[in-house]
Amino acid sequence: MKNFFTQNLFNAITIIIVICSNFSFAQSNAIRLVAFNYNSQNGATIVRWNAGETAFDNVYPTNVQGIISGSSAFDSKRSNYFARVIDNTSGTSEARLIKFNTNSEAISLTPIENVFNGGSEVDMQNGLVYTYDSDANNNVFLSEYNPISGTQTNLGSFSFSPGTGFFPDSTCYDSNSKKYYFLILEDNQVKLVTASVTSQPLSYTVIPITNTDNSGNIGLEFSNETNTIFAMYSIYDAAAGNFNQIMVGSLNPSNGELSSIVTIENIYGYQFSNRTYDQDSESMIFVGFDTNFTAGLYIVNTETGNYEILPMAGDNINELECDNSLYAEAKYGALSMDENTILDVKIAPNPSKNYFKVVFNETTADYQITDLLGKTVKFGVINNDTTIDVSNLTKGIYLFNMVNEEKTHIQKIIID
């Protein structure tokens, strides 16, 4: 798959620009954030904090050695943070999908190859993950990933002109009408692709984006409250020979019109993979750099056009996502799986020293016990009313997973 700015969709990209414009302030609300943070002492950790705080509220260690840029997503339905990483939990470096649940604080790792290649987006109603991907022959297709069953489904292929380019981090998703949006550069023109994830066979449209002759990369975010695509982009100044303005605006998916909301002042650069959207406050959030190369958390209110620059909680934040779980619950209902996908399981005693008994509403099921770093410490197949020996496990908190066909159960267990 060819990328407009790079051949590899996984490379981190920062646009450097210089601007002079008007500046105004907005007032930030409690915006909950999750990301990776790296430092030489602790390596790569998963961190949580509220926008504006100067220190992380929670830090979770991992064995991650590398993080694929632009691969993160947040499942607001089940409070899961995803990212594609290179991990060393097994003792060797392996490509893994890491999942961190903000409720249980459990981390799990799954071997995976092609998920989240071209921009991952999560449906707030059902938790399914959508991305455009490509095979070895550069055939581009729409992929659906089910994080509960771990299955990936090819929903259908796209037909683009030879040499079509793909913008990094230029996707968004409408959880109301089930539409996946992404940008391409086809025949030297920036175009918006709108794909319906519920149509079979795959149905999609491609329309040109107007007034983009002088724009750089365009980052997209979607408001499920106002049903609006918001865009972040830079403007090229031919006289100066550089991209000298950063704009936040809206994109009309019907006619491709790109409209400006606000120009960000005194900003020197921003990071593609560190942009997200808070549904409650209708704010686009990104990591930017001022003219002194100082990083700040920019909060842009898309309703008013006001913005503010907040301090960073860490020096090296990667794959920033907003925790929109409370919004999703209020708008779409409780953050629980459908009843027909849940195993009715009783585990006792819990906490336990030597064993615990598992009683559930099926005949057999696969089980797996993992520590909080995602390492599997015990697994197998059990029948209903089975006793599992855990006397060889060290004291601590573990995650007990059970799967029976499409039904699942996840529960925290304590060995004392």
Side-chain angles (χ1 to χ4, degrees):
M1 184 184 293
K2 180 182 177 183
N3 190 294
F4 179 44
F5 287 100
T6 176
Q7 293 293 322
N8 190 340
L9 281 172
F10 297 156
N11 288 344
I13 301 176
T14 302
I15 290 182
I16 303 298
I17 52 113
V18 178
I19 69 166
C20 291
S21 188
N22 294 323
F23 181 75
S24 58
F25 286 94
Q27 191 170 20
S28 65
N29 297 315
I31 298 174
R32 303 188 301 168
L33 301 172
V34 58
F36 274 96
N37 184 65
Y38 179 84
N39 60 53
S40 57
Q41 181 179 1
N42 300 319
T45 57
I46 295 176
V47 293
R48 299 168 65 188
W49 77 106
N50 290 336
E53 294 178 344
T54 56
F56 299 122
D57 292 329
N58 304 96
V59 178
Y60 307 90
T62 73
N63 292 315
V64 168
Q65 295 178 314
I67 307 163
I68 306 305
S69 180
S71 68
S72 66
F74 191 86
D75 173 8
S76 297
K77 179 70 176 176
R78 300 182 181 93
S79 303
N80 289 321
Y81 172 75
F82 296 103
R84 189 172 177 179
V85 301
I86 305 300
D87 181 81
N88 193 40
T89 298
S90 64
T92 59
S93 298
E94 299 173 307
R96 291 287 185 265
L97 176 70
I98 193 169
K99 179 176 72 173
F100 169 71
N101 186 276
T102 58
N103 291 329
S104 68
E105 300 182 333
I107 298 174
S108 60
L109 294 163
T110 306
I112 207 159
E113 295 181 359
N114 293 323
V115 173
F116 304 167
N117 187 22
S120 56
E121 302 292 340
V122 185
D123 190 313
M124 284 191 173
Q125 293 195 52
N126 55 35
L128 296 175
V129 184
Y130 296 96
T131 179
Y132 68 88
D133 212 329
S134 68
D135 57 24
N137 298 317
N138 285 327
N139 297 312
V140 183
F141 57 90
L142 183 64
S143 175
E144 178 186 87
Y145 176 71
N146 186 324
I148 298 300
S149 64
T151 57
Q152 182 177 351
T153 304
N154 185 334
L155 299 181
S157 298
F158 299 99
S159 179
F160 301 135
S161 301
T164 294
F166 299 86
F167 293 86
D169 206 22
S170 293
T171 61
C172 65
Y173 184 80
D174 178 356
S175 295
N176 300 316
S177 62
K178 312 300 181 187
K179 292 179 180 178
Y180 178 86
Y181 299 96
F182 64 100
L183 296 177
I184 62 174
L185 184 70
E186 185 180 43
D187 301 325
N188 294 318
Q189 191 170 27
V190 180
K191 298 179 180 180
L192 176 68
V193 181
T194 303
S196 172
V197 303
T198 58
S199 63
Q200 282 297 324
L202 177 65
S203 172
Y204 67 94
T205 60
V206 182
I207 61 170
I209 305 301
T210 62
N211 59 314
T212 58
D213 292 341
N214 295 323
S215 69
N217 187 78
I218 304 174
L220 302 181
E221 300 290 344
F222 192 85
S223 167
N224 285 289
E225 192 64 28
T226 64
N227 295 309
T228 304
I229 299 176
F230 291 106
M232 181 176 177
Y233 56 100
S234 52
I235 299 296
Y236 185 75
D237 186 336
N242 57 28
F243 290 91
N244 69 350
Q245 287 184 328
I246 286 183
M247 317 288 289
V248 172
S250 61
L251 176 61
N252 188 325
S254 299
N255 57 22
E257 181 181 359
L258 188 64
S259 302
S260 172
I261 296 175
V262 62
T263 300
I264 311 298
E265 280 194 345
N266 301 321
I267 183 172
Y268 193 77
Y270 64 93
Q271 296 175 328
F272 285 146
S273 61
N274 278 335
R275 190 193 67 251
T276 186
Y277 195 85
D278 180 54
Q279 299 286 337
D280 273 320
S281 65
E282 295 290 344
S283 296
M284 185 179 290
I285 305 161
F286 65 93
V287 176
F289 303 90
D290 63 19
T291 53
N292 294 318
F293 296 98
T294 300
L297 193 66
Y298 287 69
I299 313 291
V300 183
N301 187 292
T302 56
E303 292 183 319
T304 65
N306 297 328
Y307 67 93
E308 60 182 334
I309 307 170
L310 302 180
M312 298 284 288
D315 295 331
N316 196 353
I317 292 173
N318 293 283
E319 297 304 307
L320 176 69
E321 296 291 342
C322 186
D323 183 345
N324 284 301
S325 299
L326 297 179
Y327 170 85
E329 181 175 6
K331 186 173 180 65
Y332 300 115
L335 307 181
S336 60
M337 292 176 281
D338 297 334
E339 290 183 1
N340 61 0
T341 66
I342 301 175
L343 280 169
D344 183 11
V345 178
K346 295 181 176 60
I347 297 176
N350 186 19
S352 173
K353 290 184 178 180
N354 299 312
Y355 69 92
F356 58 82
K357 181 176 288 188
V358 182
V359 178
F360 56 101
N361 60 337
E362 296 290 343
T363 305
T364 62
D366 296 312
Y367 83 92
Q368 181 184 47
I369 301 176
T370 61
D371 62 21
L372 293 185
L373 291 179
K375 181 180 180 181
T376 300
V377 297
K378 199 174 184 69
F379 66 93
V381 179
I382 58 175
N383 299 318
N384 181 25
D385 199 10
T386 294
T387 297
I388 297 179
D389 183 3
V390 292
S391 59
N392 63 331
L393 300 183
T394 58
K395 294 182 179 180
I397 299 174
Y398 296 84
L399 200 63
F400 183 78
N401 300 268
M402 285 180 59
V403 177
N404 172 272
E405 296 180 349
E406 294 185 354
K407 294 185 178 182
T408 185
H409 176 81
I410 302 175
Q411 182 174 338
K412 185 186 297 183
I413 60 174
I414 300 174
I415 309 299
D416 61 10

